[in-house]
Amino acid sequence: MVMDINEIREYLPHRYPFLLVDRVTELALGETIVAYKNVSINEPFFNGHFPHHPIMPGVLVIEALAQACGILGFKTVNKLPADGYVYYLVGSDNVRFKRPVMPGDRLDLRADVVREKRGIWKFACKASVAGEVACEAEIICAERKVA
């Protein structure tokens, strides 16, 4: 199962400059998602982080992973933001950054479901660049109905 940016926009409420998933290349409902973000020098955060040595902020690497988790959750339960639902990032544990993410990198995102109970999801996540781990984390998301 592959999702292009148009379908991703149906499953994530985020928009520029905060939509951080460009394509989904694999998805097994209730199990795993593999996606990526193409990191461009045109990203607005590179103007200040850091002007002479641009690095993608670690919190945005975590956010990209969380967005991939949200897509997997939405697809698994067959809901959409348009139906009034959102996935909130509610926690991250055991976060480790192993290498910087820089302009020109393709940030590969993988999330595996650890468990789900009453709309609270725990994922084992890994972000990598060219096969080299950039970040590992356990991410917790909560599905909520919003007005």
Side-chain angles (χ1 to χ4, degrees), residues 44-106:
F45 49 79
F46 284 133
N47 288 328
H49 198 267
F50 302 99
H52 300 295
H53 183 67
I55 296 172
M56 184 174 183
V59 295
L60 294 182
V61 174
I62 295 294
E63 176 64 25
L65 286 166
Q67 288 181 20
C69 293
I71 294 169
L72 178 56
F74 273 131
K75 291 288 278 187
T76 297
V77 299
N78 196 29
K79 294 179 182 173
L80 293 166
D83 300 327
Y85 291 91
V86 69
Y87 275 83
Y88 288 124
L89 170 61
V90 296
S92 57
D93 296 316
N94 302 315
V95 177
R96 296 291 179 267
F97 296 99
K98 311 278 185 169
R99 77 176 301 281
V101 178
M102 299 180 286
D105 287 343
R106 178 176 128 160

Side-chain angles (χ1 to χ4, degrees), residues 5-25:
I5 193 64
N6 295 313
E7 189 174 1
I8 289 167
R9 287 168 48 100
E10 291 177 29
Y11 285 88
L12 288 178
H14 308 77
R15 294 297 179 261
Y16 177 84
F18 223 69
L19 179 59
L20 300 175
V21 177
D22 291 331
R23 183 171 299 269
V24 174
T25 57

Side-chain angles (χ1 to χ4, degrees), residues 36-47:
Y36 65 83
K37 179 194 181 10
N38 291 310
V39 181
S40 166
I41 190 62
N42 295 323
E43 309 285 351
F45 49 79
F46 284 133
N47 288 328

Side-chain angles (χ1 to χ4, degrees), residues 112-128:
D112 298 300
V113 173
V114 174
R115 69 177 167 270
E116 183 276 331
K117 188 174 182 180
R118 292 186 302 231
I120 306 294
W121 296 73
K122 184 174 186 177
F123 301 89
C125 300
K126 186 178 293 183
S128 58

